[in-house]
Amino acid sequence: MLKGQMMDRPLLVSSLIDYAAEVHATSPIVSATVEGPIHRQTYAETRTRIARLANALLKLGAKPGDRIATMAWNTHRHFELYFAISSIGAVCHTINPRLFPEQMTYIVNHAQDTMLFLDTTFVPLVEKLKPTFMPIRTYVAMTDRAHMPSAEAIAGILCYEEILADGAPDIVWPDLDENTACALCYTSGTTGDPKGALYSHRSNLLHSFFVLAAAQGSFMPTRPILPVVPMFHANAWGLPFIVTLTGAPFVMPGPKLDGASLFELMDSENVWGGWGVPTVWLGLLDEMKKRGRKPHSLSRILTGGSAIARATLETYERDYEIDIVHGWGMTEMSPVGTVTQMTPEERAQPFDEQMNIKSRQGRRMYGVEMKIVDADGKRLPHDGAAQGELYVRGAAVISGYYGNEAATKAAIDKEGWFGTGDVATITADGWLVLVDRTKDLVKSGGEWISSIDVEAAVIAVPHPKWTERPLLVVVKAPGANPSKEQVLAHVAAKLAKWQVPDDVVFVDSLPLTATGKISKKDLRAKFAEHRLDAG
Ligand code: ADP
């Protein structure tokens, strides 16, 4: 082999913030805060605060490879943690505070987190769970002295702004190997415990380049952009890294994600683009209808995480002239896999046809390969008709789950591809259309509900606000005659409020598959027309 003769410089997260601080020095990072007011700083100021934070972490004893957890909204402080933790060679572990408490306990212990940075919103939760967070030595409240929680709540808890003030304002980043782990995110599984996707510096940088290439300026400009998708959810779809490349003003919404709060922030900060799940866009749409207009600069929306309803898509495009880009991805894929990428010919189609095209999950971005296979793992044609389980491969796709061999074995096939658990068709020209899911999960408002957590059969049915909600299908025991309310009360005692099914239907028997499992496919078909209230 004749080797190329170029420098082998590592792709590191630290290089992103250094670049942004120099080239996009004055571009703003704006954040609605947990305390209330809007906070503003430039990329250059952000770099200084990140250096201070990194020095503070080192002083607190952070070592390369340590897992350092966050439980936080999208704010400038969470953004700083992303970069400071990774850049010193530690791993930023974002914990989803919407998970079930037992799952958080599992995750913290499985990851062996040594520190936890939390927004004050989560103090009551952490106060309760602290005795189960065995490996955590240091707790830091992401606020200033004036807003610190009481010392009794979490003994010894430190104050973010104080440790930052103590840290030196500059740092020379270590020259890490680009394959060093930089971030960790757990995703809930069909069965068993949550599973960790462990991203590397290299994969996060490549993911950013791949997304930018697919965007080609159509949905990732240098104008203000707002991630509604949480930073505790798959790197906020990679956006914190991507904006450091383009220098786009970054507007973070803090804890308030309702339509009215988003509308106001978008309006006051001239937000051009927003990224989030369909439920968020429904909330914003309600607000736009109330006010009879859109946030004045809002022009592009990236929607993903769940299928978007055709009606929502059409209203945004026709009534408000907001261009929707539909994406599909997974935590395990960093997470973007596909996005709407239309040819000039497709853009020239009549409105209805364009909406048909946009309802599809998109076309793969460079760096993600896709195949669909039958039950024996045999490849099926990409002809828009054959349906099979979707597998992916790429430099920003996990090669296994963190510290979980069994889950890895179940997810990676003989050729080394990752099984998504989605069932899809792919057209000859590369459009992905999801048609079903093999995972036993319901996705509501962008968050998973495991239907295995609920006894009896639970299936996903369409819901006007949450995209999907669980419907419980029950066979009454002989001689018993429980009411819907009794069944729901029984289930509610065991589940988080948002996991409780919306409705109950009684049937004489459950359809079974050839192997004797409950056939969710038949149940879904039978109750496809079941309508839930919008509440
Ligand atoms: P994220 O919500 O960030 O995409 P998750 O890992 O929580 O990541 O969920 C990934 C799963 O969500 C996919 O495997 C698929 O089942 C579903 N999903 C994601 N995007 C879409 C979409 N555009 N349409 C339908 N389902 C989607």
Side-chain angles (χ1 to χ4, degrees), residues 337-409:
T338 59
V339 288
T340 307
Q341 298 179 75
M342 284 161 80
T343 61
E345 294 73 31
E346 284 163 336
R347 288 207 171 271
Q349 297 280 321
F351 181 77
D352 251 13
E353 182 50 25
Q354 283 190 41
M355 294 303 104
N356 287 342
I357 294 171
K358 287 200 174 185
S359 299
R360 302 169 181 166
Q361 271 69 20
R363 285 173 141 147
R364 73 186 175 102
M365 61 180 195
Y366 173 80
V368 176
E369 295 168 81
M370 306 193 294
K371 67 174 181 183
I372 45 173
V373 301
D374 66 13
D376 302 321
K378 218 173 83 230
R379 283 188 197 222
L380 297 168
H382 296 188
D383 59 6
Q387 298 186 0
E389 187 175 348
L390 178 62
Y391 279 76
V392 292
R393 182 164 79 168
V397 177
I398 61 160
S399 61
Y401 288 104
Y402 178 57
N404 193 337
E405 249 173 70
T408 299
K409 230 170 135 201

Side-chain angles (χ1 to χ4, degrees), residues 42 45 53 87 91 100 109 125-126 202 241 384 401 452 467:
T42 63
E45 288 161 347
L53 177 59
S87 297
V91 179
F100 219 27
N109 286 283
L125 178 69
V126 171
R202 173 186 155 87
F241 304 115
Y401 288 104
I452 296 209
T467 339

Side-chain angles (χ1 to χ4, degrees), residues 19-300:
Y19 174 78
E22 182 185 329
V23 176
H24 304 296
T26 57
S27 186
I29 288 187
V30 181
S31 173
T33 58
V34 176
E35 296 88 345
I38 302 284
H39 173 90
R40 262 166 226 290
Q41 60 194 31
T42 63
Y43 276 95
E45 288 161 347
T46 304
R47 177 13 171 118
T48 304
R49 281 175 58 89
I50 288 169
R52 285 186 184 279
L53 177 59
N55 285 318
L57 287 169
L58 293 170
K59 239 199 246 176
L60 287 169
K63 299 265 173 322
D66 278 2
R67 274 75 67 202
I68 298 178
T70 64
M71 211 181 267
W73 302 109
N74 293 6
T75 68
H76 61 293
R77 294 189 183 110
H78 205 178
F79 185 95
E80 291 158 4
L81 281 160
Y82 260 49
F83 286 91
I85 295 172
S86 301
S87 297
I88 60 168
V91 179
C92 179
H93 173 200
T94 51
I95 298 178
N96 181 346
R98 292 181 184 147
L99 290 176
F100 219 27
E102 288 88 87
Q103 293 182 316
M104 290 184 223
T105 294
Y106 170 84
I107 287 174
V108 165
N109 286 283
H110 186 266
Q112 288 288 299
D113 295 320
T114 56
M115 301 187 197
L116 174 62
F117 284 76
L118 60 144
D119 272 330
T120 51
T121 322
F122 305 115
V123 168
L125 178 69
V126 171
E127 191 181 353
K128 239 188 278 154
L129 293 179
K130 189 170 178 259
T132 72
F133 286 176
M134 308 315 267
I136 295 182
R137 297 188 316 261
T138 310
Y139 289 87
V140 184
M142 294 164 66
T143 189
D144 54 18
R145 180 45 59 187
H147 296 89
M148 281 295 283
S150 78
E152 295 93 71
I154 299 170
I157 190 164
L158 301 173
C159 167
Y160 185 92
E161 291 299 336
E162 280 178 4
I163 64 165
L164 221 77
D166 271 356
D170 208 358
I171 191 165
V172 178
W173 302 117
D175 229 359
L176 305 168
D177 183 308
E178 66 181 10
N179 287 302
T180 305
C182 84
L184 176 63
C185 185
Y186 281 74
T187 177
S188 24
T190 305
T191 49
D193 295 311
K195 297 169 285 184
L198 185 61
Y199 310 110
S200 67
H201 285 260
R202 173 186 155 87
S203 71
N204 271 350
L205 266 79
L206 289 178
H207 179 263
S208 306
F209 304 147
F210 298 161
V211 173
L212 276 175
Q216 289 179 64
S218 81
F219 68 94
M220 190 59 233
T222 48
R223 280 163 284 180
I225 193 125
L226 185 148
V228 193
V229 51
M231 290 170 76
F232 56 74
H233 196 132
N235 293 328
W237 297 347
L239 203 44
F241 304 115
I242 297 167
V243 289
T244 51
L245 286 166
T246 65
F250 200 40
V251 183
M252 286 174 280
K256 295 201 192 119
L257 305 177
D258 60 285
S261 305
L262 287 176
F263 191 107
E264 269 159 35
L265 186 61
M266 287 179 159
D267 230 19
S268 64
E269 298 301 327
N270 307 320
V271 166
W272 182 88
W275 290 25
V277 297
T279 306
V280 161
W281 305 128
L282 270 179
L284 184 68
L285 187 56
D286 276 351
E287 188 64 23
M288 298 194 318
K289 283 181 179 162
K290 245 185 254 161
R291 301 192 189 213
R293 68 172 179 94
K294 66 174 182 176
H296 57 76
S297 301
L298 186 63
S299 305
R300 295 287 190 288

